Amino acid sequence: MLVAALALSGCKQDEAPTDPVELAKARLASGDALAAEIALQAALKNGVPNADVAAYLGEAELAQGKLSEAREWLGPQDFSPKTREHGFHMLGRLEMASSNLQAAGVAFDHALAENPDEPELWVDIGRLRYSGGEQIQALEAAEHAVELGPRDPLALQFRGQLVSDAYGLQAALPWFEAALDIAPDNPGVLADYAATLGELGRAEELLLAVRKLAKVDPANPQVHFLQAVLAARAGKSVLARSLLQRSGNLERKVPAAMLLSALIDLENGNHGSAAQTLVELAERQPDNRRVQVLLARALLLGRSEQELVHRFAEPAKRPDASPYLMVLVARAHEALGDREAAALYLDRAAQRRPGSLVPIIDDGLTERAAALQEVRSLIAEGRNDEAARRAEAFSLRYGGSADALSLAGDAQMARKDFETALERYRASAAVRLSWPLARRMIATYRASGQTDRADAILAAQVSSDPGNAEAAGLFGKLFAERKSWNQAALLLDHAIAMGAGRDPQILELRSKVAASLGDKDGAAKFAQRAHYIQPGRALVVKAHSTAKR
């Protein structure tokens, strides 16, 4: 009786369900999985058959992260006729959480056979398809979920997540807001909403959303993590570190938390600690180029030049290496006394990067990644017709993959079949418009003479993702070409503030803009910074020498 009283305590007396299973379902809907488990265990003791509660007990255990216990209830598939759809639905979620994607698909098929019109089932089917590389089919599932449940908060949330991928952060906000209008206390939607506000730089609104999340779900790790991000951006590194530790995300090895920890350490001069974290993160995300460059910087600042050279000397020679990585390797060689090797890297860094496609090197390739690499290599070798044939075959084999469509666009772009390339790119962008894809679309539109379309994509990228330094820099360059110096200065300053302060081309352009505005001191300052990073550039050397006089 005490257990039942505790379970009922949060309900209004006139609204409390009397059936223990219905009570548990209400608790699960409100996010209180532990209370649901208690109510269901009490129901079992009172003679309710296992088959009537197995689906919901499995859901309660799954919601608490107890996968083994959830499998004890869901694995036998002993569900009553009334709970079969929900039981198989929860079994599918369990298999997804256990990375058994094929088994998850089988479970969802059984759930569909029981009830094909459940919106949240289609949400999970969409997530499964996305995880399996079928992004287009995932988008279709998300749209179908919203059709079935236009007021289902999880369907709206999932659609918002996919909209964020395809159309940017700003476009996703209305979907999250619509979900919150229906379920204002849903922790998952609140967390997505708050994170999106943070990425858009809307700090005050982010803080309000985080406070609401802390009120409805105090144990949610996103509460302290998002506050840590806010504190770090404000330069309050001690507070940021404290909040990050309280979030528990660092202990769980969440990649975003590891990255934030490393950035805080770099800001505080703890270069060795930052490098240690970044080494672990780089091993988990070997294709994350930003992490690799941050690791190289941490090693150089921490006077670990030998390890820097050992790790990055070869990657810095690759055609897709960034000039900044080349400079870091060069500085390490200089510190080790090898000026000849340093000069080779500095010479390469001083060269303008080619506008054509270059192969992206990927080690430890999966079958699909190997196919991507093969096509990229054919493009780099100039075997464009063969690359196009392979890419089209690849996109047919993986018909739901946005990456496959994007690759097919690359191959058609290399053949200068701009219209076909844009058709493939647009199909890929409908699922996920990443910045690299947007950049290629911009180049293709310009190559085909559609400069207005190119400029519109660039403007949309700057608007939807204000933290994108490269997009802001390109937009600033566009205004500089039009001699709109004030707008160019604002955009370039924003790009520098967002991380482009070590891009010599951005600094060189900012120097030119400053000179055009009559700001001689600013022109000299930016020229000197560009000269340090990438010596030898004509305009920079001229401005640098003028500044010295």
Side-chain angles (χ1 to χ4, degrees), residues 1 3-4 18-21 38-49 53:
M1 290 180 65
V3 168
T18 55
D19 180 85
V21 176
I38 292 171
L40 290 167
Q41 292 289 358
L44 281 173
K45 290 179 181 179
N46 288 327
V48 176
V53 300

Side-chain angles (χ1 to χ4, degrees), residues 201-516:
R202 293 161 62 169
E204 291 184 5
E205 293 170 89
L206 163 62
L207 192 55
L208 290 174
V210 170
R211 286 173 178 167
K212 176 70 177 294
L213 180 59
K215 183 179 179 180
V216 301
D217 187 13
N220 193 307
Q222 288 294 87
V223 171
H224 292 117
F225 177 70
L226 291 171
Q227 288 177 328
V229 172
L230 206 57
R233 288 178 177 172
K236 300 176 180 178
S237 56
V238 175
L239 176 60
R241 169 65 65 190
S242 173
L243 290 166
L244 180 59
Q245 290 173 338
R246 290 173 64 186
S247 75
N249 282 350
L250 203 52
E251 293 179 7
R252 288 188 290 270
K253 304 291 185 183
V254 176
M258 296 173 69
L259 181 59
L260 179 59
S261 175
L263 291 171
I264 293 171
D265 281 333
L266 283 173
E267 185 70 21
N268 290 334
N270 301 322
H271 306 128
S273 178
Q276 186 176 357
T277 302
L278 290 166
V279 164
E280 184 177 356
L281 186 55
E283 289 173 354
R284 295 177 61 183
Q285 299 182 342
D287 58 342
N288 191 324
R289 302 305 172 94
R290 291 182 179 179
V291 169
Q292 300 287 342
V293 171
L294 275 174
L295 172 56
R297 184 181 177 211
L299 291 171
L300 183 65
L301 292 173
R303 305 299 300 273
S304 299
E305 295 91 354
Q306 193 67 54
E307 185 178 355
L308 194 161
V309 170
H310 173 73
R311 283 180 175 273
F312 296 107
E314 288 304 315
K317 293 177 182 177
R318 294 173 176 173
D320 60 322
S322 71
Y324 183 50
L325 180 61
M326 299 175 198
V327 170
L328 291 173
V329 174
R331 299 302 183 206
H333 276 298
E334 284 179 343
L336 294 170
D338 191 345
R339 293 184 173 276
E340 185 176 348
L344 293 174
Y345 285 100
L346 288 174
D347 287 344
R348 284 198 62 224
Q351 298 170 6
R352 289 191 178 273
R353 302 188 74 184
S356 58
L357 295 166
V358 297
I360 300 175
I361 310 300
D362 194 2
D363 300 317
L365 299 176
T366 63
E367 180 185 355
R368 290 177 63 180
L372 289 167
Q373 179 62 42
E374 180 186 18
V375 173
R376 287 175 178 140
S377 296
L378 288 170
I379 294 172
E381 294 168 9
R383 298 159 63 184
N384 298 327
D385 289 339
E386 185 179 354
R389 285 194 297 273
R390 297 285 182 89
E392 292 295 333
F394 181 72
S395 66
L396 288 174
R397 182 177 178 186
Y398 297 101
S401 170
D403 292 335
L405 287 165
S406 177
L407 185 69
D410 292 346
Q412 297 297 342
M413 172 65 170
R415 294 178 65 240
K416 300 190 184 306
D417 185 349
F418 301 131
E419 195 54 46
T420 304
L422 286 168
E423 182 181 328
R424 302 291 185 271
Y425 285 152
R426 284 192 291 263
S428 179
V431 177
R432 184 177 64 247
L433 182 56
S434 64
W435 169 238
L437 175 57
R439 191 172 52 203
R440 297 202 294 278
M441 291 181 73
I442 290 167
T444 308
Y445 273 123
R446 285 183 177 159
S448 63
Q450 302 179 65
T451 55
D452 289 346
R453 298 289 297 273
D455 295 348
I457 291 178
L458 182 55
Q461 284 287 306
V462 174
S463 174
S464 66
D465 186 6
N468 187 331
E470 188 176 358
L474 285 176
F475 209 28
K477 179 182 178 183
L478 186 64
F479 279 102
E481 290 170 352
R482 296 171 179 172
K483 300 188 185 306
S484 299
W485 304 119
N486 287 316
Q487 292 94 326
L490 286 171
L491 284 160
L492 293 171
D493 285 343
H494 178 69
I496 291 168
M498 290 295 104
R502 294 182 177 275
D503 185 330
Q505 294 185 27
I506 292 293
L507 293 170
E508 178 183 348
L509 181 59
R510 185 63 182 89
S511 176
K512 178 181 177 181
V513 170
S516 299

Side-chain angles (χ1 to χ4, degrees), residues 17 21-37 40 56 59-60 63 86 90 93 120 153-154 182-188 216:
V21 176
E22 292 302 317
L23 169 63
K25 290 166 66 174
R27 287 304 187 194
L28 286 167
S30 68
D32 195 344
L34 178 59
E37 182 184 0
L40 290 167
Y56 301 106
E59 180 183 5
H86 193 68
M90 293 303 105
R93 282 188 182 176
E120 292 183 15
L154 294 187
I182 299 161
D185 294 340
N186 185 293
V216 301

